[in-house]
Amino acid sequence: MFARVSKPKFKHHASNQLQLSPSDFNLPWLCPALYRQKPRRRPSSTSTPLHVVQHKRPVLAELKSPDPTLQSNTRRLASVTALDYLSSADQYVPFENKPPAPQLDVFQSPWLAASDTVATHNTFDLDPPLVIKDSLTTKPPRFRSIDAISGELGDILTTMKACLHVGRFQRAAALMRRLNAIYKPDSPALLAAHNDYIRESVWKIASTRDQRLLNDLQTWFEVELRGRGIIPNATTYAFMIQATLQDIDMSRSNRSTRRYLHLAEEQGLQDELMNALLLVLNEQDVGRVTRMTTLRPSIRAGDSPTSAEVPATTPPSDVANSELPEVRPVDRMLPGWRALKKSLSVFSDPLVASMLDTSEGTEEEKSKRIDIDRQLRMEQDTYESAIERWRSDYEDLKRLGINAKLKQSSFGALMWKWHEATEPVIRDEIKLANEAEAKAAKQPTDESRCHYGPFLQYLEAKKLSAITILSCMTALGTAATGDRGILVSQMVMKIGEAVQDESMAAFLKSIQFRQSSLRQLVRGPDVREVTHQLKSRRESHRRKDVSAILASSSELWSHALNDFQWSRPVKARIGAVLLSKLIDQAKVSVSRKHLEDGSIREEMQPAFLHQNLYHGGRRVGMVSLNSSMYDPLSREPVAASLSQKHLPMVVEPKPWAGFREGGFLTSTEPIVRIPQGDVQNLQYCTIAAENGDMAQVSAGLDILARTPWQINRQVFEVMLEAWNTGEAIGGIAPDDPKIELPPEPLTQDRTARCIYFQEVRRISNEKAAYKSQRCFQNFQLEIARAYVNETFYFPHNVDFRGRAYPMSPFFNYMGADLCRGLLSFGIGKPLGPRGLRWLKIQVANVFGYDKASFEERIAFAEEHHVDILDSANNSLTGGRWWLKAEDPWQCLAACKELRNALESPNAHAYVSKLAVHQDGTCNGLQHYAALGGDSIGAKQVNLEPGDRPSDVYSGVAELVKDDIAEDARQGVSIAQLLEGKITRKVVKQTVMTNVYGVTFAGAREQVTRQMKDHYPDFPDHIAAGGYIARSIFRALANMFNGAHDIQYWLGDCAGRIAMAVTPEQMERVEAAREGKWKEPEEFRKRPLKGRKDLGWKEEFLAFKQSVIWTSPLKMPVVQPYRRKTVENVATSLQRITLHNPSLADPVNKRKQLQAFPPNFIHSLDATHMLLSAMHCEKKGLVFTAVHDSFWTHASDVDTMNGVLRDTFIKMHSEDIMGRLGAEFAMRYKGCMYITAVKYNSPVGKKIKEWRRNLSGLHSGGKKLQESQVNELLLERRRTKLLASEKDEEREEGKAMVTACSIFEQSAGEADLAVENELEDVALGSTSSARENKLQANEQISVGDEENIGNIDTAPQTVDMGIPTHEDFIEEDGGITVTDEAQSETDDFNAMKEAKAKYAAQSARTRKIWLWRPLTFPPVPAKGDFDVSRIEKSQYFFS
C-alpha cells in the first residue's frame, strides 16, 4: 500500500501542459511510443501485483517520485512539477513533417515537442507499447469453506476489509487466521492483508485511544505475524510505531517504539521506515521518533504542497426565475416531477440559499463559495433528500386527511410507507448478522449472513432502504417488459452495485480526516524543516475553504477502490437480502370489485412480486410490480429521484488529474467508461492514466468541460408556452394524444379478431410511448427552468474507444432537438464581417436545406426573410414556418438570433451566443476514404474540392436505382415493383451504419423498416429490404474500394489475434512437459478443483488475446469481447446465475473480429475531435462537439473549419495503417496462431500426407488436442532455431518439417481458407446464410458503447481455447441440419433434402488446421487520392 502512498502527489491539469501553435500541431504518437524514455523501477509494493507489465513499462505499483539523477533517461508523469526534469528524448510528432517552435510554454507537454529526427517515417523503429502480460491469468483458486468463511480468496479479502472498515475486528481476525492457514508465510499477498488489518486497527486506536485494542494489536503482531514466520516490511513497522505512540504509558511506548526501530534496522529498512513514518505521523510524533534514532529525513526544494485550485464560475444573473410561468406538469401531478423540483430548489429557494456559505470575502469570492456549496449539495444528498421528499409527500397528504393509497396519493408518499416498513427489518437483519458471527455452531442461514453482513454496515439502514426502493422503482419503471418485470439476477446486481458505489462514497467521506494526516515524502538533515512544511500544509487544510473538499488524493482513491472491488457474488447476496426485505414489507392498497354484491373493497397486496416464469426458453426468477401499479407508474416515473446527482454543474468541473480524479467535485466516476466487469480494460486505462499517457485525452475533455452554457431564454419562453398548451408542437409529445381505437369486429372470425387485438396493442403502446416521452421532456423543461439564469458546465468522460460524452445524462447538448434548441454558449462574441453570413447558413442547415452550396443556403435564408422574422416575433401565433424544419427548435433559436442581429444598430457588432454547427459528411466514410486513398469515395464525402457539396447518400441511391433499372429490364419482378421508389431516405441509415459494422441482416431490417414507413402498401417489404440492401452493399463496395480492402485487412488481423497464443503460454506448457514448472507454491493447501475446471494445458493454451491498439492520443483501446462464464450463487432469495467475467475467459472471436473495424474508425474520429478541441482553444475559440458535429460561435466558424481541415490532413498524411501494423507486430511478437487451408487443396493434401507418416506426434479421436499441442511446440522449436544466431541451429531449423514449413514451401497468404466471420466484415460485404442465422438474435451496433453490456448475454459453455476436431478437420461452412432443417420444418423429406445439400457443401468447405507464427498480411496499397486536397474543400465540414 505504501508503494502507492509514498509517491509524491503531482497534481496536473493536463490542459495546462499542451502547446498547439497555429503553425505546428504536435501529437505524442499514432501508435506505440516512439522515442520512449526508459522508465525507472521502484521498490515493489507490499501487495501482490495484479498483473505483470512488459519490460520498459512500469506497472501501477512501480511508479516512483522523480530522481534528478535519473532524468536523462527517464519518462515522467504529465505534470507541471515535472517540467524541469523532462528530457527532450521523448519527443515525437506523428502528424507533423516539420519541427515546431523551439520555445516551450506552460501549455505544452514537454514530450510533445517535435524532433528533427522524426520528420518522416518510412520505417517504424518503435519502442514497446504498453503491454500487460495477462495471458497466464487463470481462474482464482478456491478453497474449502470453513466456519462461514468463503473459499474464494477474493471474497475473503474483501470481507476482511469490510469487517475492518465497520469495526468488526473479531470477525476480521478470524478471516485473517483463515488466510494464515491458506497462504505460506512468505506470500506477499498475506503480508499485504496483515498490513491492511494493522492499518485499520491503528486508525481505530488513534481515534479512540483504546488501550485494550492496542494490546490486542501488539499481541497480534508478535503471535499471528512474526510468530508464524511472516517478515514485516517498513509499512508494518510504521503502523505499529503509530499505534505504540498512542500508549498512555510513556515509558512502555518508548520501549516498544525503540524495539520496532531496532527490528526494522536489522532488516535494513531504515530509509523506507522513515519515509513511511513521515506519511502517517504528525510533526510532534515525527520529532519524538527521530530523537530515538540517528536517521534524519531530507527536504528537496520544490516539494512543498500547493493548495488545490477552486473552479471558477460565472455569477448568476440578477433576473429572477419568478418571472417565468411554471412548467405544466404531466397529468395527475408526477411525484418524480415534484422530486426534481425539490432537487432544483437549491437554485431558487431563499431558505436554501440562506443556508449556503456566506462567510467573509470579496463579492467574487462569496459568489464562488456559494456556487461550490450549491454544487456540493446537489452531488451529495441524493438518498437523504429522496427520503425527505417521501416524508414530505406523506405528511402533506396526512394533513389533508388522505391515506397513502395508490390511487389517492403520490408515489412519494407510498414509498415513504415502504421505507418506514423496510428500514427496521434491515436494521434487524444487520443485528442478526452480527449475532451469527458469534455463534459457535452456525446454520446455513447464519453462514449466509456472515458472508454479506459486514457489507451492510457501511451504510445506515435508512440509506440501504432508500437505495433498494429507488433501484427497484427505477429499474421496473424503465423496463420495457410490461408486467413480466425483470430478471431477479439483474435486479439484485443493480441493488448490489448501488450499495457498493454509495458505500465507497461514504467511506471516502468518513476518512477525509485521514487524508490530512498523510504527509508528503520529504528528506533532509533537519526535522524542523519537516515540521515547518507539515504546519504549512495543516494551515491550508485548516481553512474552511471548499478547496479542501475538492483536493483529491490518488492514494486515497487507490486505497478505496481496491477495497471496494466487491465480487459479483457478494453484490448479488447483498442485493438479494435487501430485495427480499422490500418484497416482504412493501404493500399497496388495491381496489377490488366484490363478486357477489358488486361493492368496491380495498385490500393490501404485495407491491413487488417474485415469481418463476419462462424467459428465453428457461424457467427463471422474475421480479415485477403489482399489476395495479403499472398504469400510475407510466404517468409517474421515479428516475428523477436520482437525477440531481448528475445535473449540469454550476461551477467548472474538476480538471482530470487521474483515472478517477475529475469531472464532478465529489464523484469517483472514471475518465473512461469501462464496460461492466472488463478487468483488462480497467488495468490498461488505469496504468495509462497513472503514466500520464492520458494527458491529451484529459486535456481535450477539460476543454469541452470548460465550455460555458446558458439556457436560451427566448426559446425557452416559447417552448414553455407550447408545452403548457398540451399540444404536439415541434416534437413535444402531446398531453392527450388523439388516437382512436378501431371498432371491435362483430364477427367471431379468428383472423379478424387477431388483427383487431394487434391494432389495439399497437395503439396502446403508442400512447404509452407518448406519455413516457412527455414525462422525460417534463423533467428536461424543469431542469431548463431552474438553470435559466445560470451559467453551467458539462463534465465529460470517454468510452473505451475515446469518444467523449457529457456525464449529465438527463440534460445535455447531445440530446434531441428540444435540448439543443434550449442551449446557447455562456459567453458571446461579436458576429464580425463573416458571422452574419454563417448565421444565415445555420438557419438553412437546421431547416434541412443543407445539401446546397453556401451561396444557395444564404439565398434560401434571404428568400425566407419574412418567414424568419415571423417565426422569431410570432412563434406560436404566426405562420409557424419554423415548425416545418427538420430541427424545429434549433431553427427557432437561429431565427431569433438572426432577427436580433438584423434589428441591432450594427449587425457586425451584435454579440451572439448561438452555437453554429459544422457537420461531417458521413465522417466514418471520410476516414475510410482518406485511409484507402479512394478518389471516387473522397469526392462523395467532400474530401475532394467542389463547387457544391456532394451527398454520399444520394450517390448511393442513384447507383441503387441504376441496378434496379437494369434488373427490371431483365424481368426481375421485385425490381419492377421497386422502380421509382428508391429515395435518399431509404438508403441513408444503411449507408451510415455500414461503415460502423452493420451486418447484412441488420441492413435488411433497416431498409425494410424504411419501406414500411414510406410505402406501407408495398406487397412484400421483407423481400424488398433484402434486395435493396444487397444493392446498397454493392454500391458501397464499388464506390469505396480502398475502404473495402482496409476493413477486410482489419478484420483479418483481428481474427488472427483472437486465435493466437502468447510466448508465455507456450513457455509454460513446455516447462510443464519437461517437469520444470509446478503449480504455484504460494499456498499451504491445495486449491479445490471443480468438475468443469480446465486442466493446465487447456487453461494455458486458451485464446485470451484481445485486440488492443493505441489511439493517436496515446490512449490504449482494448476490445472487451470475451466469452462469459456463468456461476450459480445461492442467495437468501433464490439461486441465481451470474455472468462472472474474468481475464481467464477466452475471447469471443466473432465479436473481436467484427467489432474491430468500426471501433478503430471510432477511435480515429474521437482523435480528430479532441485534437480539434485543443487547437481551437489555443486559437481562443469556444468549442464543443457531438462526435462529428463541431460547434463554435458564428464569428469563428471559418477559423474552426481551418482547424478541422488541418488536423485531418496531418492525421492522414501519416501512414496510420502502417503504424497500426507495426504496433501489432510488436505487441503480439512471438505469438502463434492457428489457421486453416482448404481440405482438398494441394497444400492441404501435403499436410495430410505428412501427418499420416509422422508416428507419435499425431493421434486421432480424443487425442486430437494433444496432437495440436505437439505440433504447436514443434513449430515453436523450429521458429526459435530459425531465429538463432548459430549457423548449425538455423540449418537444423531449415531441415525440420512441420505443417507450417509445408505451407511456406507450397502456398502463400492467398491459399489460407477465409474465415466465416471475414465474409461479412468488409465494407459492402454480405454474409452467408449461416452468418445471418447465427446473428439473427444478436443484431447490435458493435460500435455503440451503450450496447456493450448487452453483448453475449446468453450463458455459454467455456471454450477451452484448443480447437476441436469439428472446428478444423471437418468444419462445415454451411448450415448444419440442427441449425437449419429442424428449426424450419419437421417434415422428414425436407430434412433429408437439407442434409444432402449441406453434406455436399461440407465436402467443398472442409478445412485442415495448422499453426503459424503470428504475422499480419501486408497493409492494402493506398489509392491515388492526395489528402492535402482537403485544404481547399470548403464543404469538408459544412
Side-chain angles (χ1 to χ4, degrees):
M1 188 273 290
F2 261 88
R4 296 188 299 270
V5 176
S6 62
K7 181 167 70 333
K9 180 62 182 175
F10 280 162
K11 283 294 181 184
H12 64 280
H13 295 171
S15 60
N16 293 331
Q17 301 172 56
L18 307 175
Q19 179 187 29
L20 305 173
S21 65
S23 60
D24 301 289
F25 193 74
N26 303 338
L27 279 175
W29 55 357
L30 185 56
C31 198
L34 291 180
Y35 301 91
R36 173 71 62 89
Q37 296 170 331
K38 297 179 181 178
R40 292 174 312 284
R41 310 294 293 183
R42 69 172 297 151
S44 59
S45 171
T46 57
S47 59
T48 303
L50 295 177
H51 43 257
V52 180
V53 182
Q54 182 170 334
H55 69 285
K56 295 188 179 182
R57 293 302 298 259
V59 298
L60 180 62
E62 294 176 338
L63 302 177
K64 64 183 291 184
S65 56
D67 185 345
T69 64
L70 300 176
Q71 296 310 316
S72 61
N73 62 352
T74 301
R75 186 183 181 282
R76 295 296 307 251
L77 293 181
S79 66
V80 176
T81 312
L83 292 181
D84 295 336
Y85 302 103
L86 285 165
S87 167
S88 60
D90 192 23
Q91 298 172 342
Y92 165 54
V93 187
F95 298 151
E96 184 64 85
N97 292 324
K98 55 183 179 180
Q103 279 80 17
L104 285 175
D105 64 18
V106 72
F107 197 76
Q108 182 173 10
S109 180
W111 64 76
L112 302 186
S115 170
D116 294 335
T117 60
V118 290
T120 59
H121 300 284
N122 297 320
T123 61
F124 306 108
D125 183 15
L126 303 178
D127 217 33
L130 174 59
V131 177
I132 300 176
K133 294 186 177 181
D134 52 18
S135 61
L136 295 180
T137 303
T138 58
K139 292 290 183 181
R142 299 190 307 275
F143 298 88
R144 192 176 304 281
S145 297
I146 297 176
D147 192 27
I149 297 176
S150 170
E152 299 282 351
L153 277 180
D155 287 351
I156 296 176
L157 290 169
T158 53
T159 306
M160 185 268 293
K161 291 177 181 179
C163 291
L164 292 172
H165 292 164
V166 301
R168 306 295 300 174
F169 288 97
Q170 290 185 353
R171 180 64 177 170
L175 292 163
M176 280 303 310
R177 292 188 181 96
R178 178 62 177 151
L179 291 176
N180 280 342
I182 291 176
Y183 282 106
K184 290 187 175 180
D186 58 351
S187 169
L190 181 60
L191 178 58
H194 275 281
N195 285 342
D196 286 336
Y197 178 85
I198 296 172
R199 179 195 65 221
E200 294 294 334
S201 300
V202 169
W203 279 336
K204 183 72 172 179
I205 294 169
S207 61
T208 63
R209 307 284 288 188
D210 188 333
Q211 299 300 295
R212 182 176 179 179
L213 186 58
L214 172 59
N215 293 334
D216 291 343
L217 179 61
Q218 291 174 331
T219 303
W220 179 275
F221 176 81
E222 300 296 340
V223 177
E224 298 293 343
L225 197 146
R226 296 187 73 237
R228 292 182 177 270
I230 303 170
I231 301 176
N233 61 9
T235 301
T236 317
Y237 288 122
F239 280 135
M240 291 305 301
I241 291 172
Q242 185 186 18
T244 300
L245 294 176
Q246 310 303 316
D247 196 333
I248 58 178
D249 186 333
M250 185 65 67
S251 61
R252 184 171 58 192
S253 173
N254 290 339
R255 286 196 306 272
S256 299
T257 301
R258 290 190 181 94
R259 180 171 183 272
Y260 296 138
L261 290 170
H262 176 69
L263 291 174
E265 188 172 357
E266 285 183 342
Q267 293 179 225
L269 299 175
Q270 301 96 313
D271 292 341
E272 291 87 344
L273 176 57
M274 289 307 299
N275 291 338
L277 287 172
L278 287 170
L279 288 165
V280 299
L281 300 182
N282 58 38
E283 61 269 25
Q284 181 179 356
D285 289 338
V286 168
R288 179 179 166 186
V289 173
T290 305
R291 286 191 294 271
M292 300 181 192
T293 179
T294 58
L295 300 175
R296 291 292 185 269
S298 64
I299 295 177
R300 184 170 60 250
D303 277 350
S304 58
T306 58
S307 59
E309 294 184 10
V310 180
T313 184
T314 303
S317 169
D318 295 332
V319 182
N321 286 12
S322 57
E323 299 178 8
L324 291 170
E326 292 287 336
V327 179
R328 171 184 167 182
V330 177
D331 190 25
R332 281 179 265 191
M333 198 62 174
L334 309 183
W337 171 83
R338 285 197 297 272
L340 183 63
K341 289 276 287 184
K342 291 181 181 179
S343 299
L344 297 171
S345 64
V346 70
F347 296 113
S348 58
D349 191 334
L351 180 61
V352 174
S354 67
M355 298 167 59
L356 300 178
D357 183 5
T358 56
S359 55
E360 295 181 359
T362 66
E363 290 301 319
E364 183 179 356
E365 291 172 344
K366 289 180 181 179
S367 176
K368 182 182 297 184
R369 281 195 295 269
I370 290 174
D371 286 339
I372 295 175
D373 283 344
R374 291 191 301 165
Q375 182 62 39
L376 290 171
R377 284 175 61 86
M378 287 193 295
E379 293 184 22
Q380 291 178 339
D381 66 348
T382 295
Y383 294 105
E384 292 86 346
S385 60
I387 295 172
E388 290 302 317
R389 289 193 295 270
W390 298 343
R391 180 189 292 114
S392 176
D393 285 347
Y394 176 76
E395 291 176 350
D396 289 344
L397 294 175
K398 189 175 179 181
R399 282 193 297 270
L400 297 174
I402 301 175
N403 293 325
K405 297 177 182 178
L406 180 61
K407 293 187 176 181
Q408 297 174 324
S409 69
S410 70
F411 264 118
L414 191 61
M415 287 190 285
W416 170 250
K417 296 292 290 183
W418 298 346
H419 175 68
E420 275 191 321
T422 306
E423 180 185 353
V425 298
I426 293 177
R427 191 179 296 109
D428 292 343
E429 181 65 27
I430 294 174
K431 183 178 179 181
L432 291 172
N434 291 337
E435 293 173 354
E437 294 175 2
K439 291 182 179 180
K442 296 180 175 66
Q443 300 297 320
T445 304
D446 298 324
E447 292 185 356
S448 180
R449 285 183 170 128
C450 289
H451 290 316
Y452 61 72
F455 299 95
L456 295 179
Q457 298 181 53
Y458 277 108
L459 304 173
E460 296 178 348
K462 69 174 184 178
K463 183 168 284 190
L464 291 172
S465 172
I467 291 172
T468 307
I469 293 171
L470 285 173
S471 297
C472 289
M473 293 301 294
T474 302
L476 291 169
T478 57
T481 55
D483 57 0
R484 291 178 60 85
I486 66 175
L487 292 170
V488 168
S489 58
Q490 295 177 1
M491 181 66 81
V492 299
M493 288 303 298
K494 183 177 180 67
I495 297 172
E497 287 164 3
V499 172
Q500 174 188 258
D501 294 342
E502 196 64 23
S503 297
M504 180 168 64
F507 176 72
L508 291 173
K509 186 177 180 180
S510 70
I511 64 170
Q512 279 180 349
F513 76 94
R514 299 178 187 176
Q515 183 180 359
S516 63
S517 69
L518 296 178
R519 296 295 179 259
Q520 193 172 14
L521 182 61
V522 290
R523 299 186 181 96
D526 193 346
V527 75
R528 287 175 296 179
E529 296 185 12
V530 178
T531 303
H532 173 72
Q533 283 201 2
L534 297 180
K535 282 184 176 179
S536 300
R537 185 169 185 178
R538 175 177 289 116
E539 289 300 322
S540 69
H541 282 287
R542 188 174 293 162
R543 293 195 306 268
K544 285 200 170 182
D545 194 338
V546 188
S547 61
I549 301 175
L550 304 183
S552 58
S553 167
S554 62
E555 295 87 12
L556 185 62
W557 300 142
S558 299
H559 170 66
L561 293 175
N562 288 337
D563 290 357
F564 283 90
Q565 294 301 315
W566 299 350
S567 68
R568 291 174 67 83
V570 166
K571 288 185 282 189
R573 294 187 182 102
I574 294 170
V577 68
L578 293 175
L579 178 60
S580 65
K581 301 305 178 186
L582 180 62
I583 291 175
D584 292 341
Q585 300 301 320
K587 307 293 182 183
V588 61
S589 178
V590 180
S591 300
R592 295 293 184 190
K593 186 176 181 180
H594 197 275
L595 296 178
E596 296 180 359
D597 57 15
S599 61
I600 303 298
R601 299 185 180 182
E602 298 287 336
E603 62 179 21
M604 300 302 293
Q605 295 184 358
F608 300 91
L609 305 178
H610 174 215
Q611 49 195 333
N612 291 322
L613 301 173
Y614 281 98
H615 178 81
R618 297 182 298 123
R619 191 172 178 83
V620 296
M622 303 286 290
V623 178
S624 61
L625 283 172
N626 189 301
S627 59
S628 63
M629 297 178 64
Y630 274 99
D631 182 60
L633 186 61
S634 67
R635 302 189 303 270
E636 306 180 8
V638 295
S641 298
L642 296 176
S643 65
Q644 69 185 70
K645 199 167 188 176
H646 295 105
L647 288 172
M649 298 180 66
V650 294
V651 296
E652 282 191 10
K654 275 198 307 185
W656 285 103
F659 183 68
R660 289 183 183 266
E661 296 178 72
F664 290 104
L665 302 187
T666 60
S667 172
T668 58
E669 292 188 40
I671 189 174
V672 182
R673 301 181 178 191
I674 303 295
Q676 182 66 35
D678 186 2
V679 179
Q680 188 178 35
N681 226 322
L682 179 64
Q683 290 182 359
Y684 269 94
C685 293
T686 302
I687 295 173
E690 190 75 11
N691 286 353
D693 293 346
M694 300 284 288
Q696 288 208 99
V697 173
S698 300
L701 294 178
D702 291 343
I703 290 169
L704 297 177
R706 286 197 298 270
T707 298
W709 296 90
Q710 289 179 349
I711 298 298
N712 189 326
R713 190 182 181 105
Q714 294 179 342
V715 174
F716 177 73
E717 289 173 350
V718 176
M719 190 178 295
L720 190 57
E721 183 180 353
W723 172 269
N724 287 338
T725 66
E727 300 175 4
I729 299 175
I732 293 177
D735 188 21
D736 184 19
K738 307 299 182 183
I739 307 176
E740 300 296 333
L741 292 174
E744 184 174 355
L746 300 178
T747 177
Q748 295 300 315
D749 179 69
R750 185 173 182 179
T751 302
R753 296 192 67 81
C754 182
I755 294 173
Y756 165 75
F757 286 120
Q758 287 177 348
E759 184 66 12
V760 169
R761 188 181 301 112
R762 184 192 67 79
I763 292 174
S764 299
N765 290 338
E766 187 176 353
K767 286 186 175 182
Y770 276 127
K771 182 65 70 175
S772 176
Q773 183 182 4
R774 188 167 177 88
C775 290
F776 187 68
Q777 291 173 344
N778 197 166
F779 295 147
Q780 291 177 321
L781 281 176
E782 280 297 345
I783 294 171
R785 187 178 187 279
Y787 282 83
V788 77
N789 292 318
E790 301 286 340
T791 297
F792 51 92
Y793 306 85
F794 297 111
H796 289 68
N797 58 6
V798 296
D799 65 10
F800 74 95
R801 302 155 304 177
R803 289 193 125 193
Y805 295 89
M807 297 167 67
S808 305
F810 290 92
F811 186 79
N812 61 65
Y813 63 88
M814 283 193 182
D817 173 59
L818 181 144
C819 276
R820 296 187 186 189
L822 283 173
L823 291 170
S824 63
F825 288 134
I827 57 176
K829 285 191 176 183
L831 285 177
R834 297 278 291 178
L836 186 62
R837 175 178 184 269
W838 282 111
L839 265 187
K840 294 177 181 179
I841 293 174
Q842 173 75 358
V843 171
N845 285 346
V846 294
F847 191 84
Y849 191 72
D850 55 346
K851 303 302 177 290
S853 67
F854 287 141
E855 299 307 320
E856 290 171 338
R857 296 183 216 181
I858 295 171
F860 173 86
E862 293 173 348
E863 290 170 4
H864 289 277
H865 178 73
V866 175
D867 294 325
I868 291 171
L869 292 181
D870 179 67
S871 297
N873 296 324
N874 308 295
S875 303
L876 296 178
T877 59
R880 297 190 175 188
W881 175 79
W882 61 279
L883 288 176
K884 301 175 184 177
E886 283 189 2
D887 300 309
W889 293 106
Q890 292 176 78
C891 181
L892 179 62
C895 290
K896 287 183 176 291
E897 195 77 354
L898 184 57
R899 187 259 333 252
N900 296 341
L902 295 175
E903 292 181 355
S904 66
N906 182 355
H908 292 171
Y910 173 74
V911 177
S912 173
K913 295 184 178 180
L914 186 72
V916 176
H917 312 168
Q918 295 289 278
D919 298 345
T921 306
C922 197
N923 191 236
L925 283 175
Q926 287 181 321
H927 283 286
Y928 267 128
L931 290 172
D934 284 319
S935 296
I936 298 176
K939 185 175 182 180
Q940 291 295 327
V941 291
N942 293 309
L943 301 188
E944 186 74 37
D947 296 332
R948 57 186 306 105
S950 297
D951 180 23
V952 64
Y953 310 116
S954 298
V956 171
E958 290 302 318
L959 292 178
V960 173
K961 289 178 184 178
D962 294 342
D963 276 357
I964 290 175
E966 178 63 28
D967 287 349
R969 283 194 294 271
Q970 297 180 8
V972 179
S973 58
I974 188 69
Q976 294 171 345
L977 292 172
L978 286 170
E979 280 195 294
K981 292 183 171 58
I982 303 301
T983 63
R984 180 180 182 273
K985 289 187 177 181
V986 170
V987 305
K988 179 178 179 179
Q989 185 182 15
T990 303
V991 174
M992 185 185 305
T993 56
N994 190 278
V995 69
Y996 292 126
V998 70
T999 62
F1000 176 74
R1004 180 180 58 198
E1005 182 180 342
Q1006 292 171 348
V1007 177
T1008 300
R1009 187 163 54 246
Q1010 294 294 332
M1011 290 295 295
K1012 288 180 179 178
D1013 291 343
H1014 291 84
Y1015 307 104
D1017 298 328
F1018 193 84
D1020 193 343
H1021 293 103
I1022 296 177
Y1027 178 83
I1028 297 171
R1030 283 190 179 87
S1031 184
I1032 293 173
F1033 279 33
R1034 283 196 299 270
L1036 285 171
N1038 293 330
M1039 190 178 292
F1040 295 90
N1041 184 60
H1044 178 280
D1045 295 340
I1046 288 173
Q1047 272 195 329
Y1048 191 90
W1049 182 86
L1050 292 172
D1052 192 4
C1053 291
R1056 296 184 183 202
I1057 293 169
M1059 295 293 286
V1061 294
T1062 64
E1064 294 77 28
Q1065 290 176 284
M1066 293 181 281
E1067 288 171 4
R1068 180 64 57 82
V1069 173
E1070 281 184 328
R1073 283 199 164 190
E1074 296 170 1
K1076 298 179 181 179
W1077 176 86
K1078 297 180 181 179
E1079 293 193 26
E1081 299 180 354
E1082 186 178 12
F1083 306 114
R1084 297 175 186 266
K1085 300 179 180 294
R1086 181 177 294 274
L1088 301 176
K1089 285 289 185 181
R1091 182 168 51 87
K1092 294 184 179 180
D1093 287 351
L1094 303 180
W1096 62 267
K1097 260 183 299 193
E1098 293 86 351
E1099 187 82 54
F1100 294 150
L1101 292 180
F1103 298 128
K1104 302 177 183 179
Q1105 292 296 293
S1106 296
V1107 180
I1108 305 171
W1109 70 99
T1110 308
S1111 81
L1113 293 180
K1114 224 172 185 180
M1115 173 182 168
V1117 183
V1118 182
Q1119 294 202 145
Y1121 316 110
R1122 290 181 179 270
R1123 293 192 174 184
K1124 299 176 183 177
T1125 54
V1126 297
E1127 179 179 357
N1128 289 320
V1129 179
T1131 70
S1132 59
L1133 199 63
Q1134 67 169 63
R1135 291 191 69 87
I1136 61 176
T1137 300
L1138 295 176
H1139 294 293
N1140 200 10
S1142 165
L1143 281 174
D1145 296 332
V1147 296
N1148 187 313
K1149 178 186 174 183
R1150 177 185 302 278
K1151 292 187 175 71
Q1152 289 283 344
L1153 187 155
Q1154 294 181 343
F1156 180 39
N1159 285 340
F1160 179 70
I1161 294 300
H1162 276 310
S1163 70
L1164 291 184
D1165 68 40
T1167 296
H1168 182 229
M1169 189 275 285
L1170 291 175
L1171 289 178
S1172 300
M1174 289 183 280
H1175 207 167
C1176 283
E1177 173 158 282
K1178 184 63 178 177
K1179 291 178 176 290
L1181 275 62
V1182 174
F1183 177 91
T1184 196
V1186 182
H1187 302 319
D1188 60 351
S1189 177
F1190 300 162
W1191 303 3
T1192 192
H1193 287 98
S1195 58
D1196 293 331
V1197 171
D1198 291 306
T1199 304
M1200 183 182 73
N1201 277 336
V1203 170
L1204 302 184
R1205 289 192 292 268
D1206 289 344
T1207 54
F1208 193 91
I1209 290 171
K1210 288 173 182 177
M1211 279 181 63
H1212 288 282
S1213 294
E1214 288 286 335
D1215 187 1
I1216 293 177
M1217 301 307 298
R1219 291 187 181 279
L1220 178 65
E1223 177 179 358
F1224 279 170
M1226 184 173 294
R1227 182 179 294 279
Y1228 301 106
K1229 183 179 181 180
C1231 293
M1232 291 277 184
Y1233 82 107
I1234 196 165
T1235 185
V1237 295
K1238 291 183 178 179
Y1239 191 78
N1240 290 320
S1241 64
V1243 67
K1245 293 178 180 178
K1246 291 182 180 180
I1247 293 174
K1248 286 188 292 183
E1249 182 65 24
W1250 169 74
R1251 285 175 176 162
R1252 287 194 199 100
N1253 299 330
L1254 192 62
S1255 61
L1257 180 67
H1258 250 270
S1259 306
K1262 295 181 180 180
K1263 298 286 186 73
L1264 174 64
Q1265 186 181 92
E1266 186 69 20
S1267 302
Q1268 292 172 339
V1269 174
N1270 292 336
E1271 280 203 30
L1272 171 64
L1273 299 181
L1274 182 67
E1275 180 57 36
R1276 172 174 168 77
R1277 183 167 180 269
R1278 185 181 81 95
T1279 304
K1280 291 173 68 175
L1281 289 173
L1282 291 174
S1284 173
E1285 296 180 356
K1286 298 180 179 179
D1287 294 338
E1288 59 273 17
E1289 291 185 353
R1290 287 199 302 272
E1291 292 301 321
E1292 181 184 352
K1294 292 177 182 178
M1296 289 181 65
V1297 180
T1298 65
C1300 183
S1301 70
I1302 295 172
F1303 173 84
E1304 291 172 351
Q1305 294 171 6
S1306 307
E1309 291 280 343
D1311 296 289
L1312 292 174
V1314 177
E1315 298 286 350
N1316 290 329
E1317 292 85 353
L1318 276 174
E1319 299 173 1
D1320 177 54
V1321 73
L1323 188 71
S1325 296
T1326 58
S1327 61
S1328 65
R1330 181 182 185 184
E1331 296 303 300
N1332 293 340
K1333 184 163 186 66
L1334 289 174
Q1335 294 172 358
N1337 293 323
E1338 55 178 55
Q1339 182 58 44
I1340 62 168
S1341 298
V1342 292
D1344 186 358
E1345 151 313 299
E1346 295 297 330
N1347 287 320
I1348 294 298
N1350 299 327
I1351 294 178
D1352 198 24
T1353 56
Q1356 292 187 353
T1357 56
V1358 178
D1359 184 352
M1360 294 182 183
I1362 296 295
T1364 63
H1365 182 78
E1366 291 78 7
D1367 286 333
F1368 288 96
I1369 295 296
E1370 296 181 358
E1371 182 174 351
D1372 184 355
I1375 305 173
T1376 64
V1377 175
T1378 301
D1379 286 338
E1380 183 75 8
Q1382 285 185 332
S1383 63
E1384 294 190 354
T1385 178
D1386 291 331
D1387 183 79
F1388 180 72
N1389 292 330
M1391 187 179 297
K1392 288 182 63 177
E1393 293 175 5
K1395 184 175 181 179
K1397 173 183 176 182
Y1398 292 116
Q1401 185 177 358
S1402 176
R1404 297 192 302 271
T1405 59
R1406 290 171 65 186
K1407 302 173 185 177
I1408 188 165
W1409 59 268
L1410 70 153
W1411 290 100
R1412 295 186 65 204
L1414 180 55
T1415 58
F1416 299 97
V1419 176
K1422 229 177 181 182
D1424 57 1
F1425 174 69
D1426 182 3
V1427 72
S1428 65
R1429 291 181 58 79
I1430 298 174
E1431 185 70 35
K1432 299 180 180 179
S1433 175
Q1434 59 179 330
Y1435 297 108
F1436 170 55
F1437 271 67
S1438 64

